[in-house]
């Protein structure tokens, strides 16, 4: 079971990573993990994407990646907005993350660009 953050784009004041970590700790099950959404986390304010990932990372089994300008949840390709995704991916690499990576974009072009960015950053073979 994967538990994901609320849609922070609708209410930027709602930052529920602490609640999610508490829930994962209380359930204490290898079948339950968290989905980190970098776009939602970035909308919480400067430095929050990193702080939220740091808090959630021990329980993360899925990364939901998209980029935005910090105002709306735009779902543009990685590197096309302001989300510090390279820094976030370095944090993930340091923890030897091996879970799912979900890229959400609004176009096929952005999806391919994001896949290329991820391949360069994480050295993920695509075939």
């Amino acid at each position: 079971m994967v538990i994901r953050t609320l849609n922070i784009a609708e209410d930027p004041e709602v930052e529920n990573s602490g609640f999610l970590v508490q829930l994962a700790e209380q359930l204490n099950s290898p079948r339950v993990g968290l989905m980190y959404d970098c776009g939602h986390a970035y909308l919480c304010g400067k430095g929050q994407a990193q702080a939220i990932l740091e808090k959630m990372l021990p329980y993360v089994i899925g990364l939901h990646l998209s980029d935005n300008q910090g105002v709306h949840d735009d779902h543009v390709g990685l590197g096309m907005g302001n989300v510090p995704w390279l820094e976030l991916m370095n944090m993930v690499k340091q923890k030897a993350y091996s879970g799912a990576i979900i890229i959400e974009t609004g176009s096929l072009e952005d999806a391919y660009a994001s896949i290329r960015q991820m391949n360069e950053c994480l050295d993920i073979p695509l075939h």
Side-chain angles (χ1 to χ4, degrees):
M1 175 187 309
V2 180
I3 304 167
R4 184 172 169 228
T5 58
L6 295 173
N7 187 352
I8 293 167
E10 292 176 9
D11 187 355
E13 299 302 314
V14 176
E15 193 284 287
N16 61 345
S17 61
F19 159 75
L20 295 174
V21 168
Q22 183 180 15
L23 181 61
E25 287 173 345
Q26 289 177 358
L27 292 173
N28 191 28
S29 170
R31 297 178 55 121
V32 175
L34 303 179
M35 174 74 67
Y36 172 78
D37 186 318
C38 70
H40 288 183
Y42 185 67
L43 293 174
C44 289
K46 185 175 181 168
Q48 289 302 300
Q50 300 92 320
I52 292 169
L53 179 58
E54 184 71 32
K55 191 184 321 180
M56 289 178 65
L57 196 52
Y59 307 98
V60 170
I61 60 174
L63 297 171
H64 182 255
L65 305 178
S66 65
D67 213 334
N68 65 58
Q69 303 297 328
V71 179
H72 303 287
D73 197 16
D74 303 319
H75 296 118
V76 296
L78 299 178
M80 298 176 181
N82 297 324
V83 172
W85 74 272
L86 286 173
E87 184 178 342
L88 297 170
M89 291 305 97
N90 284 331
M91 293 171 67
V92 166
K93 282 168 60 172
Q94 289 176 357
K95 298 291 185 180
Y97 175 79
S98 63
I101 298 174
I102 297 105
I103 295 173
E104 181 177 8
T105 65
S107 73
L108 188 58
E109 180 180 310
D110 285 359
Y112 279 122
S114 296
I115 290 167
R116 283 192 298 276
Q117 292 277 356
M118 288 300 299
N119 190 36
E120 291 174 17
C121 176
L122 295 179
D123 195 27
I124 299 170
L126 299 177
H127 35 55

